[in-house]
Amino acid sequence: MPNPRILNRKLHRWGAIATALPFLLVIVTGLLLQLKKQLAWVQPPEQRTANTVPSLSMEQILRAAQSVPEAAVTDWRDIDRLDVRPAKGIVKVTANNRWEVQVDLGTGAVLQAAYRRSDLIEQLHDGSWFADAAKLWVFLPSGVVVLGLWITGLYLFVLPFLARAQKRQRES
Protein backbone atom coordinates (compact mmCIF):
# COMPACT_ATOMS: atom_id res chain seq x y z
CA MET A 1 0.00 0.00 0.00
CA PRO A 2 1.43 3.43 -0.94
CA ASN A 3 2.45 5.88 1.75
CA PRO A 4 -0.61 8.13 2.44
CA ARG A 5 1.59 11.23 2.62
CA ILE A 6 3.09 10.60 -0.81
CA LEU A 7 -0.32 9.71 -2.26
CA ASN A 8 -1.80 12.90 -0.81
CA ARG A 9 0.94 15.02 -2.41
CA LYS A 10 0.47 13.33 -5.78
CA LEU A 11 -3.31 13.77 -5.66
CA HIS A 12 -2.85 17.39 -4.68
CA ARG A 13 -0.37 18.04 -7.51
CA TRP A 14 -2.37 16.30 -10.26
CA GLY A 15 -5.66 17.76 -9.04
CA ALA A 16 -4.17 21.25 -9.30
CA ILE A 17 -3.04 20.56 -12.86
CA ALA A 18 -6.39 19.04 -13.89
CA THR A 19 -8.42 21.99 -12.63
CA ALA A 20 -6.02 24.83 -13.50
CA LEU A 21 -7.85 26.34 -16.49
CA PRO A 22 -11.49 25.91 -15.40
CA PHE A 23 -10.67 27.12 -11.90
CA LEU A 24 -8.72 30.12 -13.21
CA LEU A 25 -11.79 31.07 -15.27
CA VAL A 26 -14.05 30.69 -12.22
CA ILE A 27 -11.71 32.84 -10.10
CA VAL A 28 -11.32 35.66 -12.66
CA THR A 29 -15.02 35.80 -13.52
CA GLY A 30 -15.93 35.55 -9.83
CA LEU A 31 -13.74 38.56 -9.06
CA LEU A 32 -15.37 40.54 -11.89
CA LEU A 33 -18.84 39.59 -10.62
CA GLN A 34 -17.89 40.69 -7.10
CA LEU A 35 -17.12 44.12 -8.55
CA LYS A 36 -19.99 44.38 -11.04
CA LYS A 37 -21.66 47.27 -9.20
CA GLN A 38 -18.34 49.14 -9.04
CA LEU A 39 -17.19 48.50 -12.64
CA ALA A 40 -19.37 50.09 -15.32
CA TRP A 41 -17.54 47.92 -17.88
CA VAL A 42 -19.16 44.82 -16.31
CA GLN A 43 -22.63 46.18 -15.55
CA PRO A 44 -23.98 49.65 -16.31
CA PRO A 45 -24.58 51.70 -13.16
CA GLU A 46 -28.22 52.09 -12.18
CA GLN A 47 -29.65 55.53 -12.73
CA ARG A 48 -32.10 57.06 -10.28
CA THR A 49 -35.14 59.29 -10.71
CA ALA A 50 -37.78 60.77 -8.43
CA ASN A 51 -40.56 58.89 -10.24
CA THR A 52 -41.02 55.98 -7.84
CA VAL A 53 -44.58 55.16 -8.96
CA PRO A 54 -44.59 53.35 -12.31
CA SER A 55 -46.88 55.07 -14.80
CA LEU A 56 -45.60 53.70 -18.12
CA SER A 57 -47.44 51.18 -20.25
CA MET A 58 -45.63 48.19 -21.68
CA GLU A 59 -45.95 49.79 -25.12
CA GLN A 60 -44.15 52.93 -23.89
CA ILE A 61 -41.34 50.79 -22.47
CA LEU A 62 -41.03 48.97 -25.80
CA ARG A 63 -40.92 52.28 -27.72
CA ALA A 64 -38.19 53.61 -25.41
CA ALA A 65 -36.10 50.47 -26.00
CA GLN A 66 -36.69 50.74 -29.75
CA SER A 67 -35.32 54.29 -29.72
CA VAL A 68 -31.80 53.00 -28.96
CA PRO A 69 -30.30 51.68 -32.22
CA GLU A 70 -27.55 49.65 -30.47
CA ALA A 71 -30.18 47.61 -28.61
CA ALA A 72 -31.62 46.43 -31.95
CA VAL A 73 -35.11 46.07 -30.51
CA THR A 74 -37.87 45.82 -33.09
CA ASP A 75 -40.46 43.93 -31.02
CA TRP A 76 -40.83 42.01 -27.76
CA ARG A 77 -38.95 39.00 -29.18
CA ASP A 78 -35.76 41.11 -29.09
CA ILE A 79 -36.07 41.67 -25.33
CA ASP A 80 -34.62 39.19 -22.86
CA ARG A 81 -36.09 40.71 -19.69
CA LEU A 82 -37.39 43.75 -17.86
CA ASP A 83 -36.07 44.63 -14.42
CA VAL A 84 -38.39 47.11 -12.72
CA ARG A 85 -36.83 49.12 -9.88
CA PRO A 86 -39.64 51.30 -8.48
CA ALA A 87 -37.52 52.64 -5.60
CA LYS A 88 -35.03 53.97 -8.15
CA GLY A 89 -37.71 55.06 -10.63
CA ILE A 90 -36.37 52.99 -13.52
CA VAL A 91 -37.02 49.92 -15.59
CA LYS A 92 -34.00 48.17 -17.08
CA VAL A 93 -34.71 46.65 -20.48
CA THR A 94 -32.15 43.99 -21.37
CA ALA A 95 -32.10 43.18 -25.07
CA ASN A 96 -31.11 39.78 -26.45
CA ASN A 97 -27.85 41.33 -27.73
CA ARG A 98 -26.91 42.25 -24.11
CA TRP A 99 -27.59 45.97 -24.46
CA GLU A 100 -29.31 47.47 -21.44
CA VAL A 101 -31.65 50.44 -21.78
CA GLN A 102 -32.64 52.20 -18.55
CA VAL A 103 -35.97 53.98 -18.84
CA ASP A 104 -37.54 56.53 -16.46
CA LEU A 105 -40.69 54.92 -15.00
CA GLY A 106 -42.52 58.24 -14.95
CA THR A 107 -41.61 59.91 -18.23
CA GLY A 108 -40.46 57.09 -20.50
CA ALA A 109 -37.20 58.93 -21.20
CA VAL A 110 -34.13 56.82 -21.91
CA LEU A 111 -31.72 57.58 -19.07
CA GLN A 112 -28.87 55.38 -20.23
CA ALA A 113 -28.03 52.73 -22.79
CA ALA A 114 -24.93 50.59 -22.38
CA TYR A 115 -23.58 47.14 -23.11
CA ARG A 116 -24.06 44.74 -20.18
CA ARG A 117 -21.30 42.13 -19.79
CA SER A 118 -22.33 40.66 -16.42
CA ASP A 119 -24.63 38.03 -17.95
CA LEU A 120 -21.86 36.79 -20.25
CA ILE A 121 -19.42 36.75 -17.33
CA GLU A 122 -21.93 34.72 -15.26
CA GLN A 123 -22.26 32.21 -18.11
CA LEU A 124 -18.47 31.89 -18.28
CA HIS A 125 -18.35 31.58 -14.49
CA ASP A 126 -20.71 28.60 -14.33
CA GLY A 127 -19.59 27.05 -17.63
CA SER A 128 -22.95 27.35 -19.39
CA TRP A 129 -21.43 29.60 -22.09
CA PHE A 130 -19.56 26.57 -23.44
CA ALA A 131 -22.52 24.15 -23.26
CA ASP A 132 -24.86 22.84 -20.59
CA ALA A 133 -22.82 19.64 -20.56
CA ALA A 134 -19.70 21.65 -19.66
CA LYS A 135 -21.37 22.73 -16.42
CA LEU A 136 -21.85 19.12 -15.35
CA TRP A 137 -18.85 17.42 -16.92
CA VAL A 138 -16.10 20.04 -16.57
CA PHE A 139 -17.00 22.73 -14.02
CA LEU A 140 -18.76 20.53 -11.45
CA PRO A 141 -15.93 17.95 -11.33
CA SER A 142 -13.42 20.81 -11.18
CA GLY A 143 -15.28 22.19 -8.16
CA VAL A 144 -15.20 18.78 -6.48
CA VAL A 145 -11.46 18.44 -7.19
CA VAL A 146 -10.83 21.97 -5.86
CA LEU A 147 -12.65 20.98 -2.67
CA GLY A 148 -10.31 17.98 -2.49
CA LEU A 149 -7.35 20.30 -3.05
CA TRP A 150 -8.53 22.44 -0.17
CA ILE A 151 -8.73 19.38 2.09
CA THR A 152 -5.37 17.94 1.01
CA GLY A 153 -3.82 21.41 1.22
CA LEU A 154 -4.97 21.73 4.83
CA TYR A 155 -3.52 18.30 5.54
CA LEU A 156 -0.21 19.30 3.94
CA PHE A 157 -0.22 22.48 6.04
CA VAL A 158 -0.94 20.67 9.33
CA LEU A 159 1.41 17.73 8.65
CA PRO A 160 4.66 19.42 9.80
CA PHE A 161 3.00 20.52 13.04
CA LEU A 162 1.78 16.97 13.70
CA ALA A 163 5.24 15.56 12.91
CA ARG A 164 6.91 17.99 15.33
CA ALA A 165 4.38 17.19 18.06
CA GLN A 166 4.95 13.45 17.59
CA LYS A 167 8.72 13.96 17.67
CA ARG A 168 8.47 15.94 20.93
CA GLN A 169 6.25 13.26 22.42
CA ARG A 170 8.71 10.50 21.48
CA GLU A 171 11.63 12.47 22.95
CA SER A 172 9.94 13.03 26.30
Side-chain angles (χ1 to χ4, degrees):
M1 182 165 156
N3 182 332
R5 292 177 181 176
I6 294 171
L7 180 63
N8 185 57
R9 285 190 196 101
K10 285 184 180 181
L11 286 173
H12 193 82
R13 188 176 306 122
W14 285 107
I17 290 169
T19 62
L21 286 177
F23 194 55
L24 177 65
L25 184 62
V26 169
I27 291 170
V28 171
T29 55
L31 290 170
L32 287 171
L33 290 171
Q34 286 288 320
L35 297 170
K36 71 181 178 183
K37 299 286 185 182
Q38 288 78 28
L39 296 175
W41 182 83
V42 175
Q43 182 172 299
E46 289 181 344
Q47 302 301 307
R48 191 177 276 277
T49 73
N51 300 316
T52 57
V53 178
S55 62
L56 294 182
S57 68
M58 296 300 274
E59 193 58 38
Q60 289 171 303
I61 294 170
L62 177 61
R63 277 199 305 274
Q66 289 171 330
S67 73
V68 177
E70 296 87 355
V73 172
T74 55
D75 59 31
W76 285 107
R77 288 175 293 195
D78 299 321
I79 294 177
D80 178 47
R81 66 183 173 271
L82 301 177
D83 185 3
V84 180
R85 302 289 174 104
K88 294 188 177 185
I90 63 168
V91 59
K92 297 193 286 187
V93 180
T94 305
N96 290 334
N97 66 0
R98 293 196 175 98
W99 271 81
E100 178 182 281
V101 181
Q102 294 184 24
V103 180
D104 185 313
L105 279 174
T107 66
V110 173
L111 302 171
Q112 173 177 271
Y115 191 73
R116 179 186 173 102
R117 292 173 181 84
S118 59
D119 298 330
L120 171 64
I121 294 169
E122 286 173 19
Q123 289 175 336
L124 289 169
H125 184 72
D126 69 9
S128 62
W129 183 82
F130 302 100
D132 283 337
K135 286 172 65 171
L136 293 175
W137 297 104
V138 176
F139 285 78
L140 178 62
S142 292
V144 172
V145 171
V146 168
L147 177 61
L149 290 173
W150 182 79
I151 292 167
T152 59
L154 280 178
Y155 175 75
L156 290 171
F157 177 79
V158 170
L159 195 61
F161 297 106
L162 292 175
R164 280 189 223 117
Q166 287 174 349
K167 183 178 177 184
R168 271 186 253 126
Q169 192 176 30
R170 280 192 307 266
E171 291 173 352
S172 58

